[in-house]
Amino acid sequence: MELKKQHFLVCVLTLFSILNLCTSDPSCVYTVYVETGSGYLSGTDSTIGATFYAASGTGISISNLAAWGGAANTEYFKTGNVDVFSGIGPCLGEPICGLNITSDGKGCSNPSWKVNSVELSVAGWGQPCRNLKFDINKWLAEFAYPYSLSAFVNLCNSVAVGGSGAGTAATVYVV
């Protein structure tokens, strides 16, 4: 039943997004797939956020994936699940190639979280559709290696992601 709710939400958001993209507003639809580990206690009830970066350091920051693009009354980040979140944000005009995924570590029943992977699809009017998978396979926990509540994946070839690069200021849009 939960999968039907998620599918319905994605369909409604996609329809709204298509209508929105037919205007002159340079918005893109971001769909984020998050795979939680399947081992014992891999799931969490902590708040999970993500920042996606382009090589220039420009990015999209989502402080709470579930609140941003999830269905109401749905439990996310449970052991073995692949969760889907979808929302609208500004088009970056360049490919995303970096990810910083974070946990607030404040879950009541299980603050730690094992994240296997994150996949991102971006579509916008007049923009090429892009898909990218970030393999992570790490615990976001203060008790397990690497003893951190965030994981950073850089798939960019040239400029360091998340920095300003060549002395120019980068913009990270909060959505």
Side-chain angles (χ1 to χ4, degrees):
M1 185 65 185
E2 294 300 318
L3 188 57
K4 286 183 179 181
K5 280 186 197 177
Q6 288 182 355
H7 186 264
F8 175 74
L9 176 66
V10 169
C11 289
V12 169
L13 280 172
T14 301
L15 177 60
F16 173 76
S17 300
I18 290 170
L19 293 173
N20 185 46
L21 292 174
C22 290
T23 68
S24 61
D25 184 16
S27 295
C28 280
V29 178
Y30 293 84
T31 304
V32 182
Y33 301 85
V34 180
E35 179 188 16
T36 296
S38 59
Y40 181 67
L41 292 177
S42 292
T44 189
D45 53 356
S46 295
T47 299
I48 305 300
T51 302
F52 297 96
Y53 294 98
S56 66
T58 301
I60 300 290
S61 181
I62 306 161
S63 63
N64 183 334
L65 283 167
W68 169 76
N73 301 318
T74 302
E75 292 186 17
Y76 291 107
F77 312 111
K78 298 303 171 196
T79 301
N81 281 3
V82 174
D83 297 308
V84 181
F85 308 95
S86 189
I88 298 172
C91 295
L92 296 183
E94 57 184 315
I96 288 174
C97 55
L99 164 69
N100 185 20
I101 189 152
T102 60
S103 169
D104 70 357
K106 296 181 181 177
C108 294
S109 63
N110 190 21
S112 62
W113 179 48
K114 173 74 181 303
V115 57
N116 282 352
S117 65
V118 173
E119 190 168 330
L120 175 68
S121 294
V122 182
W125 183 258
Q127 305 282 326
C129 293
R130 296 184 174 112
N131 295 305
L132 185 61
K133 184 173 182 182
F134 299 92
D135 291 313
I136 302 167
N137 199 30
K138 291 184 181 173
W139 280 97
L140 300 191
E142 294 177 326
F143 72 88
Y145 184 82
Y147 308 104
S148 176
L149 293 175
S150 65
F152 188 74
V153 181
N154 182 355
L155 301 178
C156 303
N157 292 327
S158 55
V159 179
V161 174
S164 57
T168 59
T171 304
V172 176
Y173 298 96
V174 177
V175 293

